[in-house]
Amino acid sequence: MSRTLRGTPLRQQYYSYSRNSYQIDRNTSHQTETVCTAPKICSLTFQLSTSSQLLTFFTMTSKFSTSTNNNTNEDPREPNNCPPLTLSPDLTTERLKSSFNPLAITNFIDGSADATSKRRLLESWIIRDPTGVFSNDDNNYLHRSERHTRALAKFVRLVELCRAAGVGGKKSNSDTSSSSAVNHLEGEIIATPEFLTLVNAISDDPFPTSLHWVMFVPNILTLCDAEQQAQWLPLCRDWKMIGCYAQTELGHGSNIRALETTAKFLKESDGAAPGGEWVVNSPTLTSTKFWPGTLGKTANHAMVIARLIDGSGVDHGIHNFLVPLRSMEDHTLLPGVETGDIGPKIGYNNMDNGFARFENVRIPRRNMAMRFAVVDEEGVYEKVGAKKKGGSGDAASKVACEL
């Protein structure tokens, strides 16, 4: 069964890691494609359990879908319980002198012995991964662009491991076959505690994709109605839609009431597409979106916070709008969108904190988050709380509406 980031069929491939690049050699082409820029994330594909190397790896570390080993003295991160080569012998000696059982403390912190065993198993996937892509040995010697590319390669490999092992899948507990794991890729990987454990195990700066699950998806879940969620969440789960949260502007950080980006409603009768459209603009220099993570190179969509101007020209303050930034086919910028990386920082240099400006960017009427407020095809604005229960549409009315 084929699954990819962008709907392209899976192909045989292998990972070739070098200091300056992360290559994926596809046997369907006579040339080697080097994934060296963020837009290439669109074309990264996964070779799942058809790879003998991956099957051997999961056999070696034990399948995630099987029950964890109750013998917590066996650490899957280090075969035969041998200490890591990087661990100082002096530290090992001092640990042996302790008056308490370190494993008991570890189990307490994790919550239980089973939780410790499961965490160690997940961490072993990263530590013993045969591709070597998770190595951080030369991070400090890499250019920012190389760090960004390497971080994307790590993320692609992480999703591959999760999918191959069925993390977030919907398979039954009784079915532990690898083929079944591949057939259940519709699960929400990013919503699982296993995913977060694996992210922490990589021990690097945040992924360039982090804002997708930290801010973008939660905004869809919180502020978009059921129909919008049904349309967009599957795209997020398949990594066809990679999003960021674009609130902060060059002239306005946490002062969100002063944000200047506008989304003005345009009726169909005035030249808009059927149903009406929003026209998004950055009217001033200070309205430039500035600093949002994942915006510079990685995201192809943004949850843009902008001033809603209805069909009568009334400003209703800030609302959320889902704005496409780049093509989901080839990652090229869409008309009217200008964006890029803001440059080097003291830290977090895997992350492409970026800027964005919009010039008459048109998006469908339904690209406004409409769980708590709606605008009809004539551009009439109405709060959902007031509409459903005769309330004012304030926070209390929204809560009452949900109850």
Side-chain angles (χ1 to χ4, degrees):
M1 183 174 182
S2 296
R3 285 291 189 278
T4 65
L5 286 176
R6 290 291 179 274
T8 343
L10 287 170
R11 303 172 196 158
Q12 288 286 344
Q13 62 186 27
Y14 63 87
Y15 295 90
S16 173
Y17 168 72
S18 67
R19 174 170 177 166
N20 297 320
S21 66
Y22 180 78
Q23 297 179 330
I24 297 179
D25 295 349
R26 298 183 172 88
N27 65 4
T28 54
S29 171
H30 295 294
Q31 296 180 340
T32 298
E33 178 180 354
T34 301
V35 182
C36 57
T37 56
K40 291 292 186 179
I41 193 172
C42 297
S43 62
L44 292 175
T45 59
F46 298 126
Q47 176 61 41
L48 299 181
S49 63
T50 54
S51 165
S52 59
Q53 185 183 43
L54 194 58
L55 282 174
T56 302
F57 173 62
F58 279 116
T59 301
M60 175 181 67
T61 60
S62 172
K63 294 292 290 184
F64 166 78
S65 55
T66 61
S67 61
T68 56
N69 184 3
N70 290 325
N71 179 15
T72 53
N73 289 320
E74 180 67 29
D75 191 340
R77 300 171 300 179
E78 301 297 336
N80 302 318
N81 281 346
C82 294
L85 295 177
T86 54
L87 185 63
S88 168
D90 293 337
L91 181 58
T92 302
T93 301
E94 291 302 318
R95 285 178 173 175
L96 292 174
K97 297 178 182 179
S98 63
S99 60
F100 58 88
N101 183 351
L103 182 57
I105 299 297
T106 302
N107 294 341
F108 175 79
I109 294 173
D110 286 333
S112 69
D114 284 343
T116 295
S117 181
K118 183 176 182 179
R119 175 180 57 79
R120 288 177 169 181
L121 173 61
L122 291 168
E123 290 173 349
S124 74
W125 296 4
I126 305 302
I127 295 171
R128 302 172 64 189
D129 180 67
T131 68
V133 70
F134 294 119
S135 171
N136 295 320
D137 290 349
D138 56 355
N139 277 3
N140 292 331
Y141 302 95
L142 297 178
H143 185 273
R144 279 197 67 245
S145 296
E146 295 173 323
R147 286 287 300 270
H148 180 260
T149 300
R150 171 86 67 81
L152 286 176
K154 290 179 180 180
F155 176 72
V156 169
R157 178 60 175 171
L158 175 60
V159 175
E160 176 185 73
L161 293 175
C162 289
R163 286 179 166 178
V167 172
K170 299 180 180 179
K171 65 179 180 178
S172 64
N173 293 331
S174 60
D175 190 351
T176 59
S177 65
S178 59
S179 60
S180 176
V182 177
N183 288 332
H184 291 270
L185 304 181
E186 65 272 36
E188 299 181 46
I189 293 175
I190 62 175
T192 64
E194 292 81 14
F195 177 77
L196 296 179
T197 297
L198 290 165
V199 169
N200 291 333
I202 292 172
S203 302
D204 197 359
D205 283 346
F207 284 124
T209 49
S210 295
L211 271 293
H212 176 78
W213 67 80
V214 172
M215 295 291 288
F216 183 72
V217 171
N219 264 262
I220 293 177
L221 289 169
T222 304
L223 299 175
C224 296
D225 63 28
E227 181 182 339
Q228 291 173 319
Q229 292 185 36
Q231 177 183 356
W232 295 327
L233 288 179
L235 297 174
C236 292
R237 284 193 289 266
D238 288 343
W239 299 100
K240 296 178 181 177
M241 178 183 285
I242 301 176
C244 65
Y245 179 78
Q247 172 184 295
T248 302
E249 295 180 356
L250 189 59
H252 317 284
S254 58
N255 183 15
I256 59 174
R257 295 186 67 179
L259 296 180
E260 298 178 85
T261 302
T262 60
K264 185 175 182 180
F265 187 77
L266 186 66
K267 301 178 185 178
E268 182 179 348
S269 58
D270 293 331
E277 293 178 303
W278 298 102
V279 183
V280 182
N281 274 291
S282 304
T284 64
L285 176 63
T286 50
S287 69
T288 302
K289 296 296 182 183
F290 195 86
W291 201 264
T294 308
L295 174 62
K297 299 179 180 181
T298 308
N300 56 29
H301 285 74
M303 186 64 75
V304 174
I305 314 303
R307 310 195 69 83
L308 186 156
I309 301 174
D310 68 14
S312 300
V314 177
D315 185 340
H316 291 274
I318 60 169
H319 286 69
N320 290 42
F321 298 87
L322 188 68
V323 180
L325 304 174
R326 297 176 174 87
S327 165
M328 289 197 292
E329 300 300 324
D330 60 11
H331 210 64
T332 55
L333 284 174
L334 298 176
V337 177
E338 178 187 0
T339 188
D341 190 282
I342 64 172
K345 307 177 292 290
I346 294 176
Y348 278 31
N349 281 304
N350 286 354
M351 178 63 71
D352 53 322
N353 295 87
F355 69 88
R357 289 186 55 79
F358 307 100
E359 183 177 356
N360 296 323
V361 176
R362 294 194 180 192
I363 60 175
R365 176 181 65 91
R366 288 282 296 165
N367 274 35
M368 165 195 167
M370 290 193 176
R371 182 176 180 183
F372 297 120
V374 296
V375 172
D376 66 20
E377 296 184 2
E378 295 301 315
V380 177
Y381 176 90
E382 190 168 13
K383 293 184 177 180
V384 172
K387 180 177 181 179
K388 288 190 175 181
K389 292 203 171 186
S392 64
D394 57 13
S397 297
K398 294 173 183 177
V399 172
C401 173
E402 292 304 306
L403 295 177

